[in-house]
Structure formats: structure tokens, C-alpha cells
């Protein structure tokens, strides 16, 4: 079975500072990994995904994430936070080579951006 | 495309009543997922369909929950009877499978959710 752990339910940064949201996964086979963002009273929107190929993945709104198999991690970063980045972020996983096509989500990290 | 459409956006009902949540997936998408989001448990997969057929309903909490997909453009999630602990935001999502490589079409598109309150 697959799972993801997001370290830190709340992260607060100053505007212009580096954003780092942590995600570690557990799976017995190669994973597909995702980051979704949820704004208040909205559904989830895909930021980026890793399936195969390049381990550094760039997404929308200046976010990127790096798949590190040795560390079983897929941390989300952004060099400079903007006020509009305040939202909840979810890491998710599904597995290659299985019949399961649904995502398993982490518990989420709420990002606050201070002016 | 209008995206995944869920209705209603908000539902308040009394304990014991039947509740039906509705979802219209994106046209052409052959996977449909129902998720529930609560503060305590986060995002949980309830059930998903492929080509209108339920594939995995292991996340459905109890027999009070049922889901149907009578055609490619419509799905319902029904709770009967409803209980206060069912209060949550219910999301529907859809995805299109890849022709030859599933990895190419892994993004699931989410609706805006239905906020259910059972009092």
C-alpha cells in the first residue's frame, strides 16, 4: 500500500522568502507523485507531478519539486513566496504498474504568507 | 470546458434524512472519483469508477453510503440515513486515461465540492 506524510500542518513564511513544504512517501513500487493546491472554498488544483524522467519537476506559479528516491521525498519549493500563495497544499501518490488509479493524499500543509 | 460540476455547493440536512450529492465529470473523462474531506481525516477516497463501473469502493464508510454512475456524464453519492459525523466536504474528480501510457494522463480534475452539514 502507498502513503504520504506531510511534515508540518502549518508553515508560515514572509513574503519573498523561500517556501519549502515537505512530503515523504512510502510505496513498494515506483510511485507517481503530485502536489495539489486548495484555495479557500475551492477544489484541488494540480501544481505539478512526477511520473517518469527528470526528477526535478516544474509546475505552475513558480513551484517546483524534486523526486529523491534515496530519501523517499518529494518536497515542494518556491524561491520567493507571494501573498497569493497562501493556501493548503496536498502531496499525493499513486503507484505505477498497478490497477489502482486513485490518488492517496497526505494530510495537507497550510501555508501562510506574512507581509 | 466547464470543468467538474458538483451540486449542490452547500447542503444542510437533519439527521436521518437522505442526502444525494451530484457530479458531472468533464466530458470524455472515463475515471470518476468521490473523495471526502474532514479536518480529522483529511482527504479520503470513497469510491471510484472507470467507464461507469465501480472499481474500488473500499473507502465507502458504511452501508449508509452508496454511489452510482448511470452514464458517463453523471454520478451520485447518496447517504441514507445521514448522521452528524457525515458532515464534511465531498469532492468529485475526473480523469481521462491515457491511450498507451497511463502516466500521460494522470491529472485528476476536481470539482468545487459539496459542503454537507448534518444537524
Amino acid at each position: 500500500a502507498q502513503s504520504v506524510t506531510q511534515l508540518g500542518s502549518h508553515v508560515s513564511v514572509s513574503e519573498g522568502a523561500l517556501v519549502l513544504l515537505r512530503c515523504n512517501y512510502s510505496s513498494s513500487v515506483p510511485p507517481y507523485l503530485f502536489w495539489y493546491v486548495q484555495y479557500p472554498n475551492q477544489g484541488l488544483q494540480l501544481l505539478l507531478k512526477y511520473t517518469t524522467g527528470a526528477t526535478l519537476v516544474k509546475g505552475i506559479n513558480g513551484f517546483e519539486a524534486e523526486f529523491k528516491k534515496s530519501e523517499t521525498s518529494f518536497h515542494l519549493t518556491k524561491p520567493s513566496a507571494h501573498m497569493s500563495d497562501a493556501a493548503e497544499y496536498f502531496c499525493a501518490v499513486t503507484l505505477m504498474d498497478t490497477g489502482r488509479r486513485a490518488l492517496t493524499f497526505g494530510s495537507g500543509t497550510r501555508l501562510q504568507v506574512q507581509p | 470546458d466547464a470543468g467538474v460540476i458538483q451540486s449542490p455547493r452547500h447542503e444542510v440536512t437533519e439527521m436521518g434524512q437522505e442526502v444525494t450529492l451530484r457530479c458531472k465529470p468533464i466530458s470524455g473523462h472515463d475515471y470518476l472519483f468521490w473523495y471526502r474531506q474532514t479536518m480529522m481525516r483529511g482527504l479520503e477516497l470513497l469510491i471510484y469508477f472507470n467507464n461507469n463501473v465501480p472499481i474500488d469502493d473500499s473507502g465507502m464508510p458504511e452501508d449508509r453510503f452508496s454511489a452510482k454512475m448511470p452514464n458517463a456524464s453523471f454520478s451520485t453519492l447518496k447517504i441514507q440515513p445521514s448522521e452528524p459525523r457525515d458532515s464534511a466536504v465531498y469532492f468529485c474528480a475526473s480523469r481521462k486515461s491515457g491511450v498507451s501510457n497511463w502516466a500521460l494522463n494522470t491529472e485528476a480534475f476536481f470539482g468545487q465540492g459539496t459542503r454537507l452539514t448534518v444537524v
Side-chain angles (χ1 to χ4, degrees), chain A residues 20-38:
Chain A
L20 171 60
L21 304 182
R22 299 177 185 274
C23 172
N24 288 87
Y25 69 91
S26 172
S27 73
S28 55
V29 298
Y32 293 148
L33 294 158
F34 307 78
W35 277 98
Y36 278 82
V37 61
Q38 184 181 30

Side-chain angles (χ1 to χ4, degrees), chain A residues 85-101:
Chain A
D85 295 327
E88 188 149 21
Y89 293 80
F90 293 90
C91 183
V93 65
T94 192
L95 302 183
M96 302 180 189
D97 303 327
T98 70
R100 182 176 174 85
R101 294 292 183 256

